[in-house]
Amino acid sequence: MADTQWKIFEVFHQQARGEPHVHVGSVHAPDAEMALLLAKEQFARRQACVNLWVVPADAITATKYEDDDLFDRATDKSYRESWGYKTPKTIRMDAQTEQDV
């Protein structure tokens, strides 16, 4: 039995130069050229678009949700961010009264 299914291509589009490409959907097509034509008709006709990418779905590799430890930070570097510090309430009150003066 012959394979009658076309390949799936994921479509990414860019609304303006300098902006990131955003995934907007997928199309079924026999090749990349036809996928670009179909993506243009489906995703670039009614909304602003300056560039389209089509990528074969089988070329995309993603992490598994079970591998969540992959995203754990190796070291705590919260001291580099303002949210890493806890400010006592008395200091915040003193700063507020100085602004009132």
Side-chain angles (χ1 to χ4, degrees), residues 16-84:
R17 283 185 175 214
E19 290 188 11
H21 283 75
V22 178
H23 182 259
V24 291
S26 58
V27 294
H28 293 262
D31 57 26
E33 283 185 44
M34 181 60 77
L36 270 175
L37 289 172
L38 293 171
K40 179 183 168 241
E41 285 299 314
Q42 190 167 354
F43 299 107
R45 212 170 81 193
R46 292 191 175 103
Q47 51 189 341
C49 181
V50 296
N51 197 353
L52 282 173
W53 290 348
V54 292
V55 181
D58 58 0
I60 297 173
T61 305
T63 59
K64 297 177 183 167
Y65 288 109
E66 296 82 35
D67 296 338
D68 58 348
D69 61 333
L70 182 71
F71 301 105
D72 289 343
R73 291 181 173 218
T75 58
D76 178 27
K77 295 185 180 180
S78 60
Y79 63 88
R80 293 183 177 183
E81 304 291 336
S82 61
W83 56 263

Side-chain angles (χ1 to χ4, degrees), residues 81-89 91-92:
E81 304 291 336
S82 61
W83 56 263
Y85 294 94
K86 294 194 175 28
T87 310
K89 195 170 194 170
I91 292 175
R92 281 187 268 160

